[in-house]
Amino acid sequence: MHSFPKSEIVMMLVSMALMLGLGKVVGELFRRFSMPAVVGEITAGIILGPTLLGRISPDAYTWLFSSGSKSVMAIESFVLFGVTLLLLVAGMELDFSAILRQGKSITVISSFNIIIPFVAGFLLARTFPGLFGIPEGKIIPALYIGVALSITALPVITKILMDIKLFQTDFGIMVMASALVNDLAGWIIFSIIIQLFESGTVDALRVLKTILLTTTLVFFILTIVRQFINRAIPWIQAKTEWPGGIITFIVTTGLFFSALTEAIGVHAILGAFLCGIAIGDSPYLKKHTREIINQFIGNIFAPLFFVAIGIRVDFVQNFNPALFFTIIPIAISSKVAASMVGSILSGMTVKESLPIGFAMSTHGAMEIILGMIGRNYGIINNEVFVVIVIMSISTSLASAPLIRIFIKGEAELLIQELLERKLFIPNLKSIHAEGVIKELSLKASLATGIQSDYLGKMVLAREAIMSTGIGCGVAVPHARIYGLQKPLIAVGISQHGVDFNSPDGKHAHLVFLILTPEKDVNSQVLILSQISNIFLDEQIRNESINAASFNEFIAVIKKAVFEKTKLS
Amino acid sequence: MHSFPKSEIVMMLVSMALMLGLGKVVGELFRRFSMPAVVGEITAGIILGPTLLGRISPDAYTWLFSSGSKSVMAIESFVLFGVTLLLLVAGMELDFSAILRQGKSITVISSFNIIIPFVAGFLLARTFPGLFGIPEGKIIPALYIGVALSITALPVITKILMDIKLFQTDFGIMVMASALVNDLAGWIIFSIIIQLFESGTVDALRVLKTILLTTTLVFFILTIVRQFINRAIPWIQAKTEWPGGIITFIVTTGLFFSALTEAIGVHAILGAFLCGIAIGDSPYLKKHTREIINQFIGNIFAPLFFVAIGIRVDFVQNFNPALFFTIIPIAISSKVAASMVGSILSGMTVKESLPIGFAMSTHGAMEIILGMIGRNYGIINNEVFVVIVIMSISTSLASAPLIRIFIKGEAELLIQELLERKLFIPNLKSIHAEGVIKELSLKASLATGIQSDYLGKMVLAREAIMSTGIGCGVAVPHARIYGLQKPLIAVGISQHGVDFNSPDGKHAHLVFLILTPEKDVNSQVLILSQISNIFLDEQIRNESINAASFNEFIAVIKKAVFEKTKLS
């Protein structure tokens, strides 16, 4: 602290608060429109950076982020630390055992997925070196472009496979494993390129030496170190304060291997990534520990990193349309082609293989990290960097809609997304089941335009067959409604309690009116099972009943859903 | 990243890994001997700093921590960020509503606890300015010493009150509330002193202006901002991704108020602390969110801060015995006297009030932060700083044993601390209850020296009265044993299952042989209730049965205990 003058402290705190705060706000806005939060965070950086703030108010921009000041140095060190931790977490998420299990079957697909885009990128950069700002005769920047095109976005692929309900199938596991190998190989090749770039010369001996060093390191960490960590984890969990000991162990080990790899000449980031794989692979690691680390890194260090992207580069000035329109088609088509070849060789039809190609063609957060490192080393210029960031964003955004054209997947039905303020009654007036159903039907009617009497009649008809009090103070009157477009839940809280003829004899304090489209046979059951699952928990029931507003109510539900998912 | 040369990256990663790793290892060692982990972390800093490493290998010390290098700058910014977050968390832990509820009743005690040590410290420094390195006629450093003596260690007091089972009593709550007011007032006074020091002059107008500004700020944050945050939290929890949104909100708000208070001239740390109080006071804040923040800050930023303490100052060279033997007795006696006066005024006897005096005389982590800031501002020199650190450590260590002289509290009995490797059988051979009891008795006999036959006989005699299979695959044969010094649990896992005549008819896979001293009437019931509470959970049962080693087994139990405590 003593080397920070007062004004620098204010500046550092203000700029970090701004980066974090705006990053989260814009991130959430983007998430609201079903876009990844990371795109919002980069946008927040563009707003705070030279692109926007720097144009509108150069003084404010300089005051906040003028390079060379101590507060900017501080932020830079946070970003550096953050990248190391991000790669550590990325490694921890990667299921190395799955790769080992799949063995040979994935080698084909993943090889195509690395080689074809790599060659395409390399040839593209060799053919138009001027476009990429590559000096005459330099081979390494072209190799770098090859790697940039060959890396995929594992989290994006995971999400897509889940959305189209292929995640748990043999095919889904194979695609995931291919993507894993792809990422791992990509980082290794990248690391070799960085070493060659730093050494300045590219002769056969040097290349061989670098490859040997890197593969030895990879082998060492993924075998001996992995075994060692796997044995150390239960020991640490047993011997030290829980979960503090294991959290510190993970972060310390990550930092140590980053430092080690950097010291022997391989980039720090590969060390963190490999160490993350070794740690994440241990079956002894508890979900709870992963969550604390993920949450903190995901919500503090990751946003800082992605906001910092936009702060450093002017995205308007450095946008080169020629470069953009050259690289994007090649990037997508080479990935799609590679995946299709691989998929067809595995026995799929062309039509089936196409969506997989779109999935594999996504470039995400890892690609942006790779771009950042390439730019910092001076392998690529700002124009190429900007195109890499835009490519990562646009492929991530485009792939899901493209896949939906070919595979009609059902979106998952989640009750927390069906609950709405306008369908919420914090204080039911009626103390009889019929009156409560009428109150809720009125709300539903206002939201849908369907006559309230009709809704009430349908629900009461169902109620006449068998009462819908499910016990523990919860009732779920429901009906399938002709003309309804999508499922709807109206919720009412009754402090008095309403007799819904429950098996346990208890009056209902939480009443969920569930209306589903007549032709939709699944939603009703799905919603009912989710509600009964969530409200089995007494604490959640009490918290929901005592919720004074819709915001409180939905917060309780979200937390409950989160806890349930965590345990499953 | 681009302003970090390669060697600096290695240095930063290595030094951070070392600080974190060694801090944790030494911290755990200290914890093993029932000392606070923070003392171990400071010791780790002393090992890595000029005191030890700097003497043994000046080159290594300079390479790692040479001031002015970018990696040290990076660590400094982490420490600065860490202190802000530490104060934020400290504020979050402080129960402001409790203070409001207690109202006037605590005013007396806390006033004495602030005023008497403050006056004592001030007069001491005025009488011996040379000893404190205070220039002739300077009044502010003397005021600072007053504040340093008046601050208490809230977490230490909490722990002591829990240990002596007074925490939930009216008296415990009153002591806690007094300590809270004490801390709050201490930081406010400190903040005023810092402002006066910075302005350079101490005239009445200036003092008045500073006090006015600070109290306005305190009032503003603890009323308007607190209300606003209390309303914002459920809204954020409802509207944003959970728990990411709320975590970012807390950290961002903390940084923002630190920056704001620093900008208007009040120290950043007061802003973070007050903001923490305002956030922590909201009933909407979930335990889960607090835990993620506490764990990450407590295990990453706090150790970095406390290790950094030792790295900056030579604790041998700057140790001034005269200063030490002057300040420590005054510090303890003024606090004890103040607490005794307060306690006696509240109707206690002298003998009862003495242990409370010892509790209130502890200085802890907050005191060290205060010392660090005072040193960085140049208000105190390294000698005073070293004495403040030693005072914080020694009072924290000494108070519990001193209190135990007066109050014979029972140490809490925790099953995870009774389980031992030498009392663990991962694979019971016998498939009958009697045989299993013999196997476990043999282990118990080896550990205690009491004849195995005798142990087995006593347990079987108890078993004959009523079988100890408690269902769900758990059995708890037990007996009170003459000549046994302390409770003992021997555990065996049976894959086959053993018939312990359970009410649910299921065979036992987990057998706990519980032996307690004959005269100890409580331990048996305590242990039995803990075991049945933990193993109600099916997941925990399955994980324990499948544990392949003692380490795995104890890790499962620790996690289970942690989860149970978290939920209660």
Side-chain angles (χ1 to χ4, degrees):
Chain A
M1 200 179 297
H2 64 280
S3 25
F4 276 89
K6 194 180 172 69
S7 63
E8 297 269 344
I9 294 179
V10 177
M11 228 157 75
M12 171 183 149
L13 293 170
V14 169
S15 46
M16 284 186 69
L18 256 179
M19 288 169 76
L20 268 179
L22 194 68
K24 197 71 192 178
V25 169
V26 184
E28 280 291 331
L29 274 177
F30 275 66
R31 226 173 53 86
R32 205 58 69 80
F33 295 98
S34 303
M35 285 192 255
V38 58
V39 181
E41 287 157 8
I42 295 171
T43 310
I46 292 175
I47 294 172
L48 289 175
T51 322
L52 206 67
L53 183 65
R55 285 207 160 72
I56 297 169
S57 167
D59 288 350
Y61 172 71
T62 311
W63 182 73
L64 279 169
F65 305 110
S66 66
S67 66
S69 74
K70 278 179 180 166
S71 79
V72 169
M73 281 289 305
I75 291 169
E76 298 246 329
S77 62
F78 270 85
V79 169
L80 172 60
F81 187 71
V83 173
T84 313
L85 293 183
L86 266 175
L87 263 287
L88 181 72
V89 169
M92 283 171 69
E93 296 290 302
L94 190 148
D95 188 351
F96 185 64
S97 292
I99 300 182
L100 293 183
R101 277 194 302 274
Q102 291 283 320
K104 272 185 289 181
S105 69
I106 53 164
T107 318
V108 183
I109 297 192
S110 54
S111 306
F112 280 110
N113 254 300
I114 296 161
I115 295 166
I116 296 181
F118 182 81
V119 172
F122 177 74
L123 291 179
L124 183 69
R126 291 297 277 177
T127 317
F128 308 104
L131 194 59
F132 291 88
I134 300 174
E136 201 62 46
K138 290 276 178 193
I139 198 164
I140 288 172
L143 290 170
Y144 174 90
I145 301 293
V147 176
L149 261 54
S150 74
I151 273 188
T152 56
L154 206 50
V156 180
I157 295 177
T158 312
K159 198 176 169 306
I160 292 171
L161 283 171
M162 280 178 161
D163 281 355
I164 60 179
K165 309 239 155 116
L166 284 175
F167 188 62
Q168 297 288 2
T169 62
D170 283 355
F171 179 76
I173 292 169
M174 202 178 63
V175 172
M176 282 298 292
S178 306
L180 297 183
V181 175
N182 195 323
D183 257 27
L184 185 55
W187 284 105
I188 293 170
I189 299 172
F190 173 66
S191 176
I192 292 170
I193 291 173
I194 289 279
Q195 291 169 66
L196 293 176
F197 182 79
E198 281 199 293
S199 76
T201 55
V202 187
D203 57 72
L205 192 72
R206 179 83 212 170
V207 172
L208 199 72
K209 207 179 136 195
T210 307
I211 292 175
L212 215 68
L213 178 69
T214 310
T215 46
T216 309
L217 181 81
V218 172
F219 183 79
F220 172 68
I221 295 183
L222 293 184
T223 54
I224 298 167
V225 174
R226 186 168 67 100
Q227 285 299 324
F228 173 78
I229 287 175
N230 191 35
R231 273 171 212 198
I233 286 176
W235 189 86
I236 289 163
Q237 290 181 158
K239 293 284 174 181
T240 65
E241 190 193 11
W242 201 86
I246 189 71
I247 292 175
T248 310
F249 172 75
I250 293 171
V251 175
T252 308
T253 315
L255 291 177
F256 174 75
F257 278 100
S258 312
L260 181 77
T261 48
E262 181 85 34
I264 65 169
V266 184
H267 197 276
I269 238 163
L270 187 67
F273 185 60
L274 292 171
C275 180
I277 296 176
I279 292 170
D281 196 52
S282 170
Y284 300 117
L285 195 66
K286 305 273 182 255
K287 215 162 179 175
H288 183 260
T289 315
R290 286 177 195 266
E291 203 211 327
I292 292 177
I293 293 180
N294 278 348
Q295 288 295 346
F296 210 86
I297 293 173
N299 291 301
I300 307 295
F301 289 104
L304 277 180
F305 173 79
F306 290 112
V307 173
I309 297 282
I311 285 178
R312 293 175 181 190
V313 182
D314 189 326
F315 272 67
V316 168
Q317 192 187 310
N318 289 299
F319 181 68
N320 180 341
L323 186 62
F324 178 78
F325 288 109
T326 314
I327 205 167
I328 297 269
I330 300 283
I332 295 178
S333 59
S334 67
K335 269 282 175 190
V336 172
S339 305
M340 282 176 72
V341 172
S343 308
I344 290 165
L345 285 180
S346 323
M348 304 189 78
T349 67
V350 176
K351 204 188 158 192
E352 282 170 329
S353 72
L354 207 54
I356 304 311
F358 291 131
M360 294 294 274
S361 72
T362 54
H363 300 265
M366 288 295 119
E367 177 91 6
I368 294 174
I369 294 178
L370 184 133
M372 187 66 131
I373 299 171
R375 173 182 165 272
N376 290 346
Y377 272 91
I379 302 177
I380 55 170
N381 59 23
N382 277 343
E383 289 188 358
V384 178
F385 175 66
V386 165
V387 159
I388 285 180
V389 173
I390 296 174
M391 176 172 80
S392 307
I393 294 173
S394 51
T395 53
S396 298
L397 293 179
S399 60
L402 281 174
I403 289 167
R404 290 254 161 71
I405 300 174
F406 295 89
I407 301 182
K408 293 267 173 272
E410 290 164 37
E412 213 183 336
L413 197 69
L414 299 167
I415 77 150
Q416 68 270 33
E417 287 174 9
L418 290 176
L419 299 171
E420 288 181 66
R421 185 186 304 278
K422 61 181 178 189
L423 293 168
F424 179 75
I425 304 180
N427 250 307
L428 286 169
K429 288 189 192 67
S430 179
I431 54 170
H432 300 293
E434 203 179 319
V436 166
I437 289 173
K438 274 189 185 158
E439 279 184 66
L440 290 169
S441 297
L442 194 64
K443 285 274 176 190
S445 169
L446 291 171
T448 59
I450 299 173
Q451 273 215 322
S452 149
D453 287 353
Y454 170 68
L455 296 177
K457 205 180 67 186
M458 293 300 288
V459 175
L460 286 171
R462 166 65 190 78
E463 203 72 13
I465 303 168
M466 200 178 105
S467 182
T468 56
I470 56 174
C472 300
V474 179
V476 284
H478 54 267
R480 301 236 299 263
I481 302 292
Y482 176 79
L484 190 68
Q485 296 301 315
K486 62 188 181 78
L488 167 158
I489 307 176
V491 189
I493 298 176
S494 165
Q495 296 302 333
H496 178 275
V498 185
D499 188 0
F500 265 88
N501 205 9
S502 296
D504 61 1
K506 286 186 186 157
H507 284 195
H509 292 279
L510 282 172
V511 184
F512 294 84
L513 179 79
I514 301 159
L515 304 178
T516 47
E518 197 187 28
K519 288 190 181 159
D520 179 351
V521 288
N522 294 321
S523 297
Q524 194 176 74
V525 177
L526 280 173
I527 294 171
L528 284 172
S529 74
Q530 280 183 60
I531 289 177
S532 64
N533 186 24
I534 289 173
F535 291 98
L536 270 179
D537 188 319
E538 195 187 336
Q539 200 193 340
I540 292 165
R541 283 202 304 275
N542 292 339
E543 284 182 21
S544 333
I545 294 169
N546 293 323
S549 68
F550 179 72
N551 280 348
E552 281 179 41
F553 181 76
I554 192 82
V556 172
I557 303 291
K558 275 189 171 185
K559 185 190 156 223
V561 170
F562 179 84
E563 298 275 335
K564 298 272 173 195
T565 341
K566 202 181 67 175
L567 291 173
S568 69
Chain B
M1 199 179 295
H2 64 280
S3 25
F4 277 87
K6 194 179 171 69
S7 62
E8 297 269 345
I9 295 179
V10 177
M11 229 156 77
M12 171 182 149
L13 294 170
V14 168
S15 46
M16 284 185 71
L18 257 180
M19 289 170 76
L20 268 180
L22 195 67
K24 197 72 193 179
V25 169
V26 184
E28 280 292 330
L29 274 177
F30 275 67
R31 225 173 51 85
R32 206 60 68 82
F33 295 98
S34 303
M35 286 192 255
V38 57
V39 181
E41 287 158 8
I42 294 171
T43 310
I46 292 175
I47 294 171
L48 289 175
T51 322
L52 204 68
L53 184 66
R55 286 207 159 72
I56 297 169
S57 167
D59 289 350
Y61 172 71
T62 312
W63 182 74
L64 279 168
F65 305 111
S66 65
S67 67
S69 74
K70 277 180 180 168
S71 79
V72 169
M73 283 287 307
I75 292 170
E76 298 246 328
S77 61
F78 269 85
V79 169
L80 172 60
F81 187 71
V83 172
T84 313
L85 293 184
L86 265 175
L87 264 288
L88 181 72
V89 169
M92 282 171 68
E93 296 289 303
L94 190 148
D95 188 352
F96 185 66
S97 293
I99 299 181
L100 294 184
R101 276 194 303 275
Q102 291 282 322
K104 271 184 289 180
S105 70
I106 54 165
T107 319
V108 183
I109 296 192
S110 55
S111 306
F112 280 111
N113 254 299
I114 296 162
I115 294 166
I116 296 181
F118 182 82
V119 171
F122 177 75
L123 290 179
L124 184 69
R126 290 296 277 177
T127 318
F128 307 104
L131 193 60
F132 290 86
I134 301 173
E136 202 63 46
K138 289 278 178 192
I139 198 164
I140 288 173
L143 290 170
Y144 173 91
I145 300 293
V147 176
L149 260 53
S150 74
I151 273 188
T152 56
L154 206 49
V156 180
I157 295 177
T158 311
K159 199 176 169 304
I160 291 171
L161 283 171
M162 281 178 161
D163 281 354
I164 60 178
K165 307 240 155 114
L166 284 175
F167 189 61
Q168 296 289 1
T169 62
D170 284 354
F171 179 77
I173 292 170
M174 201 176 65
V175 171
M176 283 296 294
S178 307
L180 296 183
V181 175
N182 194 323
D183 258 28
L184 184 56
W187 283 105
I188 294 171
I189 299 172
F190 174 65
S191 177
I192 292 170
I193 291 173
I194 289 279
Q195 291 168 66
L196 293 176
F197 183 79
E198 281 199 293
S199 74
T201 54
V202 187
D203 56 74
L205 191 72
R206 180 80 212 171
V207 172
L208 198 72
K209 206 180 136 194
T210 307
I211 292 176
L212 215 69
L213 179 68
T214 310
T215 47
T216 310
L217 181 81
V218 172
F219 184 78
F220 172 68
I221 296 184
L222 292 185
T223 54
I224 298 167
V225 174
R226 186 168 67 101
Q227 285 299 325
F228 173 78
I229 287 176
N230 191 34
R231 273 171 212 198
I233 287 177
W235 189 86
I236 288 163
Q237 289 181 157
K239 293 286 175 181
T240 66
E241 190 193 12
W242 200 85
I246 189 72
I247 292 174
T248 310
F249 171 76
I250 293 171
V251 175
T252 308
T253 315
L255 292 177
F256 174 76
F257 277 100
S258 312
L260 182 77
T261 48
E262 181 84 35
I264 65 170
V266 184
H267 197 276
I269 237 163
L270 187 67
F273 185 60
L274 292 171
C275 180
I277 295 176
I279 292 170
D281 195 52
S282 170
Y284 300 118
L285 195 66
K286 305 273 183 255
K287 216 162 179 176
H288 183 259
T289 314
R290 287 178 195 266
E291 202 211 328
I292 293 177
I293 293 179
N294 279 348
Q295 288 296 346
F296 210 85
I297 292 173
N299 291 302
I300 307 297
F301 289 104
L304 276 180
F305 173 78
F306 291 111
V307 173
I309 296 283
I311 286 179
R312 294 178 180 188
V313 183
D314 189 327
F315 272 67
V316 168
Q317 192 188 310
N318 289 298
F319 180 69
N320 181 342
L323 186 62
F324 177 79
F325 287 110
T326 315
I327 205 168
I328 297 268
I330 300 285
I332 294 178
S333 59
S334 66
K335 270 282 175 189
V336 171
S339 305
M340 281 176 72
V341 172
S343 307
I344 290 165
L345 286 181
S346 322
M348 304 189 78
T349 67
V350 176
K351 204 187 157 193
E352 282 171 329
S353 72
L354 206 56
I356 303 311
F358 291 131
M360 295 294 274
S361 74
T362 55
H363 300 265
M366 289 295 118
E367 177 91 6
I368 293 174
I369 294 179
L370 183 132
M372 186 67 132
I373 299 171
R375 172 183 166 272
N376 290 346
Y377 273 91
I379 302 177
I380 54 170
N381 59 23
N382 278 343
E383 287 188 358
V384 178
F385 174 66
V386 165
V387 158
I388 285 180
V389 173
I390 295 175
M391 176 172 79
S392 307
I393 295 174
S394 51
T395 53
S396 298
L397 293 180
S399 59
L402 280 174
I403 289 167
R404 289 253 162 73
I405 299 174
F406 295 90
I407 300 181
K408 292 267 171 272
E410 290 165 38
E412 214 182 335
L413 195 69
L414 299 166
I415 77 150
Q416 67 271 33
E417 287 174 9
L418 290 176
L419 299 171
E420 287 182 66
R421 185 186 304 277
K422 59 181 178 188
L423 293 168
F424 179 76
I425 304 180
N427 250 306
L428 288 167
K429 287 186 193 71
S430 179
I431 55 170
H432 301 295
E434 203 179 318
V436 165
I437 289 172
K438 275 189 187 158
E439 279 184 64
L440 290 168
S441 298
L442 195 64
K443 284 275 178 190
S445 169
L446 291 170
T448 58
I450 300 173
Q451 272 215 324
S452 150
D453 287 352
Y454 170 68
L455 297 176
K457 204 180 68 187
M458 293 301 288
V459 175
L460 286 170
R462 166 64 191 77
E463 203 72 13
I465 302 168
M466 199 178 105
S467 182
T468 57
I470 56 174
C472 301
V474 178
V476 284
H478 53 267
R480 301 236 297 265
I481 302 293
Y482 176 79
L484 190 68
Q485 295 301 317
K486 61 187 181 76
L488 167 157
I489 306 176
V491 190
I493 298 175
S494 165
Q495 296 303 333
H496 177 276
V498 185
D499 188 0
F500 265 88
N501 203 8
S502 296
D504 62 1
K506 285 186 187 157
H507 284 195
H509 292 278
L510 283 171
V511 183
F512 294 84
L513 179 79
I514 300 158
L515 304 178
T516 46
E518 196 187 28
K519 288 191 181 155
D520 179 351
V521 288
N522 295 321
S523 297
Q524 193 176 75
V525 177
L526 280 172
I527 294 171
L528 284 171
S529 74
Q530 280 183 62
I531 289 177
S532 64
N533 185 25
I534 290 173
F535 292 97
L536 269 178
D537 188 319
E538 195 188 336
Q539 201 193 339
I540 292 165
R541 283 201 305 276
N542 292 338
E543 283 182 20
S544 335
I545 294 168
N546 293 322
S549 69
F550 179 72
N551 281 347
E552 279 179 43
F553 180 76
I554 193 83
V556 172
I557 303 291
K558 275 188 171 184
K559 187 191 153 223
V561 171
F562 178 84
E563 298 276 336
K564 297 272 174 196
T565 342
K566 202 182 67 176
L567 291 172
S568 70

